Amino acid sequence: MEEKKELKRVLGKLDLFAIGFGAIIGWGWISMGSTWIGGAGMLGACLSFVFAGIMMIFVALCYGELASAMPKAGGPQNFAWRAYGTKASFIAGWACLLNPVLFVSWLCNAAVDALNYLYPLTDTPLLYTVYGYEIHVGTLAAYMIMAVLMIWLTYTGIQGMSRVQNIAVIIMIAIAAIFIIAAVFLGDTRNFEPLIANGTRGVAANILTCATFLAGFECIPQASEESTVKPKDLGKVIVSVMLAAVVWFILTIIATSLGLSHGDIQTSKLAAVDSMTAIFNNNPIAGKAMIVVGLLGILTSWISTYINGSRLMYSMARGGMMPEYFAKLHPKYQTPYRAVIVMGVFMLVSGFMGGGVNVWYPTAGGFGSVVAYVIVAISFIKLRKSQPDMVRPYRVKSVAVGYIAVLMGAVLVFISLPGFPGSGLKWPYEILMVLIWIILGIALYIRAKNRPDGLKKIDEMMSSVLKD
């Protein structure tokens, strides 16, 4: 059978919204309560998301305009190539790729944590310990089974993934709405004290992780080549997902704080689950319902993150920046199956490290994302000046949005640098991961550049892709 060369267009507007929204919501709002609320207080945690949301909305606006002009898998890679050429394009794509490659493992471990609440997987025999994290027979088996199922789901096509995503998002919103409404009527506002913990330092320490958890809108440009959505509506979907996610996090933070005291939140592993249980008079069924929501959130984030990473890897290979091996589409499912498998192998290997990656991967992956944000914002400004007549179906009113996005992105890069208290990359694991990624990227770029007619060939390939 002859291999098909195009991704299959099957996604509608609601499908894209579910991919972006599901990517953002995930597991963080359940698992990060002790970090966000415990470290900054209820109001402080909300302010962290307000500030992170303001930063990210300007970036999302830049993404929206550029994605509508270039509705192809690749996102930042495409935008930077159009504005500055191959080197900037490779840096943007490679930086952006770090987050999904790492985050799929984080999400698989999060799913294990959620299942452990429903069934005590840690009661099974202990196999070994890695950097203080115990690996049990049950936790390792659950990780591997779920990882293989996710690889199979993403391997067999985006249409099935989208159906699962849509159903999961609807159920998740419905149960979370019950939690929020119940908290308003049954919760205790005295639990809000202290409104802000640890002053501005507590708020600032949360901003990078909040911004990282708001990064799911990146998945929408990656899926745009598989959608039937008009380019103008593509930009609107990106912005609406961003706003809806900020509202979600703020409402769930308030609801969690209504159910538990600040001290209880600080010591809780899953604050939203314990809050839901407390609100319904310590009924364990309520807590298990929240675990189900959390598992659905993990599933939606996992699917979206896998779409993001595999499509970006495929796009970079299609553009000549990575080995052509990753540019092959499956003859039946029309998926970048080799990229799916490579991401899956890394995810499976990470499973043997256990929960340690849950600490290291988000910060390292977040650093890659914020670097890409800055490049996207700079590309937005450059293209407004150098290519004012470029067709932009979704057009941001003022180029000032780009300058603000550059500033916001630069702040996020700064607070993620080693040495910044609370949110900076830490030695050794996070810094080493970023350094290894940079070295690997340099090697791949040199390889691509040194091929016969290397840079010229890349320009020809990228030009062909974006003109189609």
Side-chain angles (χ1 to χ4, degrees), residues 42-58 203 207 210-211 214 242 246-247 249-250 253 408:
M42 184 279 292
L43 181 58
C46 290
L47 289 174
S48 295
F49 268 103
V50 169
F51 294 142
I54 291 171
M55 290 178 172
M56 297 298 285
I57 194 63
F58 289 103
V203 176
I207 291 177
C210 293
L214 289 172
M242 187 73 227
V246 172
V247 171
F249 279 113
I250 289 174
I253 284 170
M408 298 296 98

Side-chain angles (χ1 to χ4, degrees), residues 220-413:
I220 298 173
Q222 303 300 351
S224 62
E225 198 171 333
E226 295 165 270
S227 79
T228 58
V229 176
K230 295 178 180 179
K232 183 176 182 179
D233 291 333
L234 188 65
K236 293 178 181 178
V237 171
I238 291 173
V239 175
S240 64
V241 162
M242 187 73 227
L243 294 173
V246 172
V247 171
W248 172 283
F249 279 113
I250 289 174
L251 289 177
T252 54
I253 284 170
I254 293 171
T256 300
S257 298
L258 284 167
L260 292 178
S261 69
H262 184 258
D264 289 336
I265 289 174
Q266 286 180 308
T267 58
S268 173
K269 188 175 181 181
L270 300 178
V273 173
D274 293 338
S275 177
M276 179 78 152
T277 303
I279 286 169
F280 284 93
N281 296 319
N282 294 318
N283 189 328
I285 296 177
K288 289 181 179 179
M290 288 297 283
I291 292 293
V292 171
V293 178
L295 280 167
L296 292 173
I298 293 167
L299 178 63
T300 59
S301 284
W302 208 353
I303 290 173
S304 300
T305 303
Y306 226 122
I307 292 172
N308 187 12
S310 60
R311 272 57 178 177
L312 180 53
M313 196 179 297
Y314 160 76
S315 179
M316 292 186 72
R318 180 178 60 179
M321 298 181 195
M322 288 183 66
E324 187 181 356
Y325 175 86
F326 297 108
K328 301 296 183 182
L329 295 180
H330 193 280
K332 178 180 178 181
Y333 302 119
Q334 295 174 253
T335 56
Y337 66 103
R338 291 178 174 175
V340 167
I341 291 172
V342 169
M343 286 182 65
V345 169
F346 181 83
M347 177 170 58
L348 290 169
V349 172
S350 293
F352 292 98
M353 298 170 61
V357 301
N358 281 25
V359 178
W360 312 321
Y361 282 6
T363 305
F367 178 77
S369 291
V370 296
V371 169
Y373 297 157
V374 173
I375 297 174
V376 168
I378 294 173
S379 299
F380 170 89
I381 297 169
K382 173 70 182 299
L383 289 170
R384 276 294 186 97
K385 295 180 178 180
S386 63
Q387 300 183 37
D389 297 327
M390 182 176 75
V391 177
R392 296 170 170 86
Y394 177 85
R395 187 180 181 91
V396 177
K397 290 184 178 180
S398 174
V399 71
V401 166
Y403 289 102
I404 298 172
V406 171
L407 176 61
M408 298 296 98
V411 169
L412 290 172
V413 171

Side-chain angles (χ1 to χ4, degrees), residues 103-113 142-143 146-147 298 302 347:
F103 220 64
V104 288
S105 301
W106 187 95
L107 288 162
C108 197
N109 271 307
V112 172
D113 286 342
Y143 183 103
M146 289 187 293
I298 293 167
W302 208 353
M347 177 170 58

